[in-house]
Amino acid sequence: MNPPPDLSICIVSYNARAYLRACLDSILENTHRVTCEIILVDNHSEDGSADMLAERYPQVHCIRNQHNDGFARPANRAIAVSRGRHILLLNPDSLVLGDALEQLVRFLDENPAVGIVGPRILNRNGSLQRQCRRSEGRPWDAFCYLTGLSGLFPHDRRFSGYLMSYLDEETLHEVQAVSGACMLVRREVFDQVGVLDERFFAYQEDSDLCYRVRQAGWKVF
């Protein structure tokens, strides 16, 4: 049997054909110094996504759902068949720039106390997508975010805790949670704390995972 790849890239997709080609091409064009497999779960798309994958990307392992099962459950299906040392959850509308995935793998390999790492996620205009790092969403943080206090005082940690906008955007930080839009998880983490909680249809399953991981003694960066 071949050794496990360095990286299992797990993508959940629903009617995302317009984005998938660019996403997959960016992975294949920019990821060369780590071995990887790509597993995609299609949530019963009606735009021909799965057929396009079979025709253009035979190297992608495509799992076809019979229903739209949200995010957590399909992601767990992909994780269950993955073989990589590390598992990347990646949204289908993402573009991988340069050696970003190789840097993430290297960071986990060089920092054994870290269970999860997320990258700087950029909007199309190059600005930081602020949701890529955040707190656990405790009541005060959520209140400040939802009422706009965090926007009024973005650099005051008393009010801007949810999106941690008081942190420097260009610097590495230990945080409470990162976004499941692009999240690299050490396989031992899933083995220890379990996979995504399927009671979350979509959204906040990433924060819940990060919370459980930190409770188990791992760090999130």
Side-chain angles (χ1 to χ4, degrees):
M1 178 180 292
N2 294 328
D6 298 311
L7 182 63
S8 293
I9 302 173
C10 298
I11 301 172
V12 176
S13 179
Y14 176 64
N15 288 337
R17 178 174 177 168
Y19 298 105
L20 271 176
R21 285 181 59 178
C23 176
L24 294 172
D25 286 345
S26 73
I27 294 171
L28 297 174
E29 291 170 4
N30 292 308
T31 308
H32 304 295
R33 290 193 291 271
V34 293
T35 56
C36 68
E37 63 178 357
I38 304 173
I39 304 165
L40 186 140
V41 182
D42 181 77
N43 259 339
H44 200 57
S45 296
E46 299 175 347
D47 63 352
S49 295
D51 292 337
M52 182 270 291
L53 287 172
E55 178 182 349
R56 296 185 60 91
Y57 303 96
Q59 68 271 54
V60 174
H61 179 182
C62 181
I63 300 171
R64 301 192 187 204
N65 274 348
Q66 297 304 308
H67 309 279
N68 180 2
D69 289 335
F71 180 79
R73 183 174 296 175
N76 286 343
R77 289 193 68 185
I79 294 167
V81 301
S82 68
R83 298 178 54 247
R85 297 188 298 111
H86 305 310
I87 298 165
L88 182 78
L89 302 180
L90 184 69
N91 278 4
D93 59 348
S94 303
L95 295 175
V96 174
L97 304 179
D99 62 348
L101 300 187
E102 295 160 2
Q103 289 190 46
L104 291 176
V105 169
R106 187 182 315 120
F107 183 81
L108 279 193
D109 287 343
E110 293 175 353
N111 295 274
V114 178
I116 297 178
V117 61
R120 292 179 71 241
I121 300 178
L122 304 178
N123 296 307
R124 296 284 169 165
N125 65 4
S127 63
L128 180 71
Q129 192 174 108
R130 296 187 181 278
Q131 288 78 8
C132 70
R133 60 183 190 192
R134 52 186 188 265
S135 73
E136 294 168 350
R138 297 289 184 176
W140 175 248
D141 288 345
F143 173 81
C144 291
Y145 177 69
L146 293 172
T147 60
L149 277 172
S150 60
L152 291 174
F153 305 101
H155 304 298
D156 189 329
R157 68 172 60 222
R158 294 174 299 175
F159 304 106
S160 59
Y162 182 61
L163 296 183
M164 296 184 163
S165 55
Y166 55 86
L167 297 177
D168 177 46
E169 295 182 2
E170 303 290 338
T171 307
L172 177 70
H173 298 282
E174 183 175 0
V175 295
Q176 292 182 344
V178 294
S179 171
C182 186
M183 168 193 285
L184 186 64
V185 186
R186 194 183 298 274
R187 178 169 293 279
E188 295 98 305
V189 163
F190 284 129
D191 293 339
Q192 180 179 355
V193 308
V195 291
L196 300 174
D197 188 335
E198 296 183 5
R199 291 176 294 181
F200 295 93
F201 181 80
Y203 303 113
Q204 295 304 321
E205 72 289 318
D206 46 8
S207 295
D208 172 74
L209 176 65
C210 289
Y211 173 78
R212 289 187 283 127
V213 166
R214 291 191 303 106
Q215 289 296 105
W218 297 93
K219 296 181 178 181
V220 177
F221 271 79

